[in-house]
């Protein structure tokens, strides 16, 4: 995933991540390290430490490994797959597209039942549901994720507090800014140049929906995002989704 060094602020202050230090009983209280497990090798840990953002997020990542090792290992595996994939050629800056037709505002909530039978998931564990969700979208031009309920509750609060935000996406020469607006459990993205040209009728480059039907019973929220392939690559769409979680959780 491409990482960005600067974010243009359009609110008075940027949401801050609240992290606590992870202390290992065999080390000094100030040390920050990962635990080695039977399915995470020392080589994987050393490779992860080479990431230039390791020091910045070490506390949060280490805490995630301790409290939710399955989610941590899943993210690590996804990162390794992205590293193996051939690098996508950076795009040029976007030009203003066509305005979308003005539509009447709607408050209809999208239902998970439209995608899969929720009643058939009741006897499944959160891990099994995560695997089903990921596999379902594996051959589609969409991105997906499974978010712990407690994490999403915090994200919801910040969606309301910081309703509009800008995220950078790497381009061939510099960065292009993409604007997001949150509406309930949905997030709508458009390039800044399209918003400047068309305002509320700007065409979307990515739309994300969070399904909360299993939030209480299974402790997870299911996310899916659909992106415009002419505006974003799948890597760039994932980059935007990851930045939402980084800045809003």
């Amino acid at each position: 995933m491409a990482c960005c060094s600067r974010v243009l602020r359009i609110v008075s202050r940027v949401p801050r991540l609240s992290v606590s230090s992870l202390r290992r009983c065999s080390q000094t209280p100030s040390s920050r390290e990962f635990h080695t497990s039977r399915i995470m090798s020392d080589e994987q840990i050393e490779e992860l430490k080479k990431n230039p953002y390791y020091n910045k997020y070490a506390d949060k990542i280490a805490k995630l490994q301790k409290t939710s090792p399955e989610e941590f290992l899943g993210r690590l595996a996804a990162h390794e797959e992205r590293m193996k994939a051939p690098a996508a050629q950076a795009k040029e800056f976007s030009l203003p597209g066509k305005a979308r037709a003005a539509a009447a505002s709607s408050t209809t909530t999208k239902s998970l039942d439209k995608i899969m039978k929720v009643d058939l998931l009741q006897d499944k564990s959160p891990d099994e549901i995560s695997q089903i969700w990921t596999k379902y979208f594996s051959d589609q031009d969409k991105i997906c994720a499974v978010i712990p309920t407690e994490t999403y509750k915090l994200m919801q609060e910040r969606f309301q507090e910081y309703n509009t935000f800008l995220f950078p996406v790497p381009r061939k020469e510099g960065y292009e800014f993409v604007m997001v607006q949150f509406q309930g459990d949905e997030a709508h993205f458009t390039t800044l140049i399209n918003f400047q040209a068309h305002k509320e009728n700007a065409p979307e480059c990515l739309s994300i929906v969070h399904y909360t039907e299993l939030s209480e019973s299974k402790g997870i929220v299911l996310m899916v995002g659909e992106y415009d392939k002419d505006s974003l690559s799948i890597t760039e769409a994932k980059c935007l989704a990851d930045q939402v979680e980084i800045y809003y959780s």
Side-chain angles (χ1 to χ4, degrees), residues 159-217:
F159 289 165
Q160 295 179 15
E161 187 175 2
Y162 306 99
N163 177 259
T164 304
F165 203 67
L166 286 180
F167 295 115
V169 173
R171 290 307 189 207
K172 192 172 182 180
E173 295 182 4
Y175 294 91
E176 179 172 15
F177 286 101
V178 174
M179 191 181 82
V180 62
Q181 288 187 333
F182 298 99
Q183 298 176 355
D185 293 312
E186 300 180 18
H188 302 275
F189 299 76
T190 185
T191 58
L192 182 59
I193 193 170
N194 268 322
F195 180 76
Q196 291 171 331
H198 305 300
K199 304 301 182 186
E200 68 274 9
N201 295 321
E204 293 186 6
C205 60
L206 172 65
S207 60
I208 288 177
V209 179
H210 299 92
Y211 293 97
T212 60
E213 284 88 335
L214 302 176
S215 177
E216 297 300 325
S217 61

Side-chain angles (χ1 to χ4, degrees), residues 25-217:
C25 56
S26 61
Q27 296 180 332
T28 61
S30 61
S31 62
R32 301 182 301 176
E33 292 294 335
F34 294 112
H35 299 287
T36 305
S37 72
R38 63 182 179 85
I39 51 178
M40 183 179 180
S41 66
D42 291 330
E43 289 77 10
Q44 287 177 301
I45 296 175
E46 291 303 318
E47 184 65 27
L48 189 59
K49 289 180 180 178
K50 294 178 182 179
N51 189 300
Y53 290 88
Y54 166 77
N55 288 331
K56 184 175 181 180
Y57 295 108
D59 284 338
K60 184 174 183 180
I61 298 172
K63 180 179 179 181
L64 177 63
Q65 187 196 9
K66 182 179 180 180
T67 59
S68 183
E70 294 82 4
E71 182 184 356
F72 171 78
L73 291 168
R75 292 190 186 187
L76 181 62
H79 172 72
E80 290 179 343
E81 287 300 318
R82 289 196 294 268
M83 293 297 291
K84 293 177 183 178
Q89 186 174 0
K91 293 178 178 289
E92 299 284 355
F93 286 95
S94 300
L95 295 175
K98 294 182 179 179
R100 63 178 179 177
S105 60
S106 173
T107 58
T108 303
T109 302
K110 292 183 171 62
S111 171
L112 183 59
D113 267 323
K114 298 294 184 180
I115 300 178
M116 55 181 59
K117 299 291 185 181
V118 176
D119 55 339
L120 297 180
L121 301 176
Q122 296 307 318
D123 62 341
K124 304 294 184 183
S125 69
D127 285 344
E128 289 174 323
I129 295 173
S130 298
Q131 293 174 10
I132 293 171
W133 187 252
T134 302
K135 184 176 181 180
Y136 181 79
F137 293 106
S138 61
D139 59 350
Q140 302 183 41
D141 291 325
K142 297 180 180 180
I143 59 173
C144 66
V146 178
I147 305 171
T149 295
E150 290 305 313
T151 299
Y152 187 66
K153 285 181 178 179
L154 178 58
M155 293 173 68
Q156 280 182 309
E157 294 176 4
R158 291 177 173 172
F159 289 165
Q160 295 179 15
E161 187 175 2
Y162 306 99
N163 177 259
T164 304
F165 203 67
L166 286 180
F167 295 115
V169 173
R171 290 307 189 207
K172 192 172 182 180
E173 295 182 4
Y175 294 91
E176 179 172 15
F177 286 101
V178 174
M179 191 181 82
V180 62
Q181 288 187 333
F182 298 99
Q183 298 176 355
D185 293 312
E186 300 180 18
H188 302 275
F189 299 76
T190 185
T191 58
L192 182 59
I193 193 170
N194 268 322
F195 180 76
Q196 291 171 331
H198 305 300
K199 304 301 182 186
E200 68 274 9
N201 295 321
E204 293 186 6
C205 60
L206 172 65
S207 60
I208 288 177
V209 179
H210 299 92
Y211 293 97
T212 60
E213 284 88 335
L214 302 176
S215 177
E216 297 300 325
S217 61

